[in-house]
Amino acid sequence: MNQIKLSELMYLESLSDYVKIYFNDQSLTTRETISSFEQSLPETFVRIHRSYIVNLDYITEFSNKSVTIGDEELPISRTYKNTALKFISG
């Protein structure tokens, strides 16, 4: 068990039955599903793809197809596009 500060969580990536949680300076892998995280995270976190949930506070750029967090460009899928862009563009 690890305690994490939600304000330091940049994004989550689904790896089948695992989720990799990315912070500024490290990452953590846990045996959970991304759906279980999606249910418990506050509204500052948005699902942009079946494999990604992002923290809106860390998005530096976005387009219709992707968001940039730090040095990573993450895809926005067609399934989540409308909802994601509504939250991202504010």
Side-chain angles (χ1 to χ4, degrees):
M1 292 292 273
N2 290 326
Q3 275 193 332
I4 57 173
K5 290 184 180 180
L6 291 178
S7 61
E8 296 176 1
L9 195 158
M10 295 170 60
Y11 67 95
L12 297 93
E13 178 182 14
S14 174
L15 305 170
S16 189
D17 291 336
Y18 294 86
V19 172
K20 191 165 187 179
I21 304 168
Y22 292 88
F23 301 95
N24 286 326
D25 55 354
Q26 66 180 350
S27 64
L28 172 70
T29 304
T30 182
R31 189 176 166 100
E32 290 282 333
T33 63
I34 199 162
S35 297
S36 66
F37 277 100
E38 184 178 22
Q39 300 299 320
S40 60
L41 290 170
E43 290 181 6
T44 55
F45 290 86
V46 175
R47 185 107 181 232
I48 61 166
H49 189 276
R50 69 184 174 127
S51 297
Y52 295 102
I53 296 176
V54 299
N55 185 340
L56 295 174
D57 296 335
Y58 284 93
I59 295 174
T60 54
E61 295 179 25
F62 71 93
S63 69
N64 286 335
K65 297 185 181 198
S66 67
V67 298
T68 303
I69 295 181
D71 295 334
E72 298 295 321
E73 187 173 342
L74 308 174
I76 297 175
S77 71
R78 288 179 287 169
T79 305
Y80 295 98
K81 183 177 181 177
N82 289 337
T83 303
L85 290 176
K86 182 175 84 173
F87 280 99
I88 294 168
S89 60

